[in-house]
Amino acid sequence: MESTHISALNTKHAGLERQIHEEMMRPAPDDAKIKTLKRRKLRIKEEILMN
């Protein structure tokens, strides 16, 4: 069961990475949005490492 949780976290982490990349590629990236996404991504990474 826990591996399913880790898998879900990895999927979320990859999705956030994609969103960050997409935002950075825009002509006028929203720095606040990027910062928020990076914080969420870091929290997920920390949760993955704790398991």
Side-chain angles (χ1 to χ4, degrees), residues 7-48:
S7 179
L9 290 173
N10 281 322
T11 300
K12 285 182 186 178
H13 188 269
L16 287 168
E17 179 66 35
R18 189 172 50 255
Q19 286 180 323
I20 291 166
H21 178 74
E22 288 172 3
E23 187 63 34
M24 291 174 79
M25 293 292 106
R26 290 178 44 170
D30 181 342
D31 290 334
K33 182 176 182 179
I34 291 171
K35 191 173 182 179
T36 299
L37 291 170
K38 285 184 175 183
R39 270 199 217 110
R40 287 174 53 200
K41 187 178 140 194
L42 181 59
R43 273 192 233 111
I44 290 172
K45 182 178 180 182
E46 289 170 348
E47 189 173 345
I48 291 168

